[in-house]
Amino acid sequence: MRPEGEPAPLSRRAVLLDVALALVLTVVALVVATRYPGDGPVRISSRAVVEGRAVLPSPPAVPGPGYRPEAGYVSEPTAPPWGLVVLSALPLVARRRFPLLAFGVIAAAALALGDAVSWINVLTCSIAAYGAVAHSRYRTRALAALIAAAVLAGVAFRDTDPILPGWSSPAVVLLVVGVLASLVRLGRLRLEASRKRFTDLQQAQEKATRRAVEEERARIAAELHDVVTHNVSVMVIQAGAARKVMDAAPERSKQALLAVEAGGRAAMAELRHVMGLLAGPASGADTPADGLEPQPGLGQLDALADRVRAAGTPVDLTVSLPPGPLPPGVELTAYRVVQEALTNTIKHAAGADATVTIGFAGSWLEIEVTDTGAVRDSPPVDGNGRGLIGLRERLALYGGELSAGPTPGGGYRVAARIPWEAS
């Protein structure tokens, strides 16, 4: 009994179609009622019915005016009430907006016409019944109204001329119309449900795409942070050292500038690699000369340590790897852990000694980077912790762990554990 939901707004085309249909059928009903009163295909029979057979009444001894041998006394047909004729068709204007009300008015007008009902009234009542079932928000009420109208029509027109198959034939007509309307309504509901599912899937896909884009942006930000921060930090420190000794020790200044140049080249190579990955294969930049060499791994740790030593931070590197090759993603993650830890040592612990130890225990690759703490004053360096956050995100992809914090001796320690083989 509850409404199924707000109907969709009617289009201008549907409104104009209903208005035109209602006006045409109203005009036809008026013409039929005017020119052929009482001659419609549905007409109350004056014959008597005995045991299922039509029996004419006994003829009078002296036939009077209006007597017909085949039908008895028949009165001249009279014009039906024009108001009922109009009400039997004109409410089709609202057959989509107010389907139950339109059907009720048309059915009541058709029943009230009685002997004057004609085929056009049967047609308008069928159209209204179809609209009630197909367009009403109250499906249960519409079906109940249809059944009630069918019963009333069957009782009112149980004696028709010509005789139809059974006294309930008007009910059969309305019920058939109702079944067809129900099928159409069911098909429309299924189509709407399919469209809704398609819309939901489309929205879910768009949401997943946006989430993937956000995750990719975060990954790109982490890559750019790893690439830029380390090399630029080394370059800044070397440039500062060159500036301080430029007049007193030109040779040392030259070495510092060479280290700046090397760090800049390394940064540009890795930046080209990252930007090449973003550009994709369509850009045509797929040769090693374009910077698309493999991502750094544990084999590049010696070069990384040399750059850090050139920046004035001694590094003790000890590497013990498990037998067999490591997955590229695990190697890249381990390299980024060491790179970020040494970069933080350069930035925050000027003059400290750094120790890098990489080993394995069972299926876990263990990385530890420690420093002895700053031994000389240096200007404070702002940090937002994005590097360590990025490392935790990288390690989480492989089920790894990261811990970082100061040591009792005043230094700093970064430790990570990464599973290097499937369990």
Side-chain angles (χ1 to χ4, degrees):
M1 299 298 289
R2 295 179 179 179
E4 293 184 351
E6 290 296 330
L10 295 178
S11 63
R12 182 180 179 85
R13 180 174 176 272
V15 173
L16 294 177
L17 181 62
D18 288 346
V19 171
L21 178 65
L23 292 178
V24 169
L25 292 180
T26 301
V27 171
V28 173
L30 290 173
V31 170
V32 170
T34 302
R35 294 190 177 183
Y36 310 102
D39 289 340
V42 179
R43 184 173 67 250
I44 302 300
S45 176
S46 59
R47 300 178 181 182
V49 179
V50 177
E51 294 181 356
R53 295 179 300 166
V55 179
L56 294 176
S58 301
V62 180
Y67 177 77
R68 296 181 184 177
E70 71 279 5
Y73 286 100
V74 177
S75 59
E76 292 298 327
T78 59
W82 304 119
L84 293 177
V85 175
V86 171
L87 289 177
S88 67
L90 191 59
L92 290 176
V93 171
R95 74 184 189 93
R96 297 177 197 262
R97 190 175 300 276
F98 304 104
L100 273 180
L101 179 61
F103 174 59
V105 172
I106 291 175
L111 291 174
L113 285 173
D115 294 354
V117 73
S118 62
W119 62 269
I120 190 65
N121 304 120
V122 176
L123 177 61
T124 57
C125 194
S126 299
I127 295 176
Y130 176 88
V133 177
H135 301 297
S136 176
R137 296 170 57 197
Y138 301 90
R139 180 171 55 179
T140 305
R141 298 181 186 181
L143 293 175
L146 179 66
I147 294 174
V151 173
L152 292 176
V155 173
F157 304 118
R158 59 185 178 275
D159 296 325
T160 58
D161 187 13
I163 299 296
L164 296 177
W167 68 269
S168 62
S169 56
V172 173
V173 172
L174 290 178
L175 292 178
V176 168
V177 170
V179 170
L180 294 177
S182 298
L183 294 177
V184 172
R185 184 190 186 104
L186 179 61
R188 188 171 66 246
L189 291 176
R190 287 186 175 179
L191 179 60
E192 292 176 356
S194 299
R195 289 176 177 173
K196 186 177 183 304
R197 285 196 299 270
F198 175 77
T199 302
D200 293 341
L201 289 175
Q202 192 174 27
Q203 292 176 351
Q205 183 179 11
E206 292 175 356
K207 185 177 179 181
T209 301
R210 288 195 299 269
R211 185 170 59 252
V213 169
E214 293 173 357
E215 293 175 354
E216 183 65 13
R217 286 177 177 173
R219 188 187 69 83
I220 293 170
E223 289 290 339
L224 291 176
H225 176 273
D226 293 340
V227 168
V228 174
T229 303
H230 170 75
N231 292 287
V232 172
S233 298
V234 173
M235 292 167 61
V236 169
I237 292 175
Q238 291 287 358
R243 176 180 56 81
K244 292 179 181 179
V245 301
M246 184 174 295
D247 297 330
E251 188 63 27
R252 291 178 59 189
S253 174
K254 181 180 178 180
Q255 294 178 357
L257 291 177
L258 289 176
V260 171
E261 181 182 2
R265 291 182 182 276
M268 290 301 299
E270 292 203 36
L271 281 175
R272 282 197 303 268
H273 174 69
V274 173
M275 299 310 295
L277 290 178
L278 295 178
S283 63
D286 54 358
T287 63
D290 294 322
L292 293 188
E293 60 273 4
Q295 289 271 30
L298 296 180
Q300 285 75 36
L301 285 180
D302 290 334
L304 175 64
D306 290 340
R307 290 199 298 269
V308 175
R309 294 187 188 105
T313 300
V315 178
D316 182 16
L317 180 62
T318 303
V319 179
S320 176
L321 298 178
L326 295 176
V330 172
E331 282 207 32
L332 175 61
T333 301
Y335 179 89
R336 294 304 187 197
V337 170
V338 176
Q339 184 185 48
E340 179 64 24
L342 293 178
T343 300
N344 289 338
T345 299
I346 294 174
K347 290 165 55 178
H348 303 287
D353 295 340
T355 302
V356 178
T357 304
I358 298 179
F360 66 95
S363 61
W364 289 86
L365 186 67
E366 297 180 343
I367 305 166
E368 183 180 68
V369 182
T370 59
D371 62 57
T372 57
V375 297
R376 63 176 182 266
D377 294 335
S378 60
V381 179
D382 294 334
N384 55 12
R386 182 64 183 88
L388 293 179
I389 294 175
L391 289 182
R392 285 193 173 89
E393 292 176 354
R394 287 179 180 275
L395 291 166
L397 293 177
Y398 297 95
E401 304 169 355
L402 177 71
S403 61
T407 62
Y412 200 83
R413 175 178 178 270
V414 176
R417 299 177 71 242
I418 316 171
W420 64 273
E421 64 178 2
S423 57

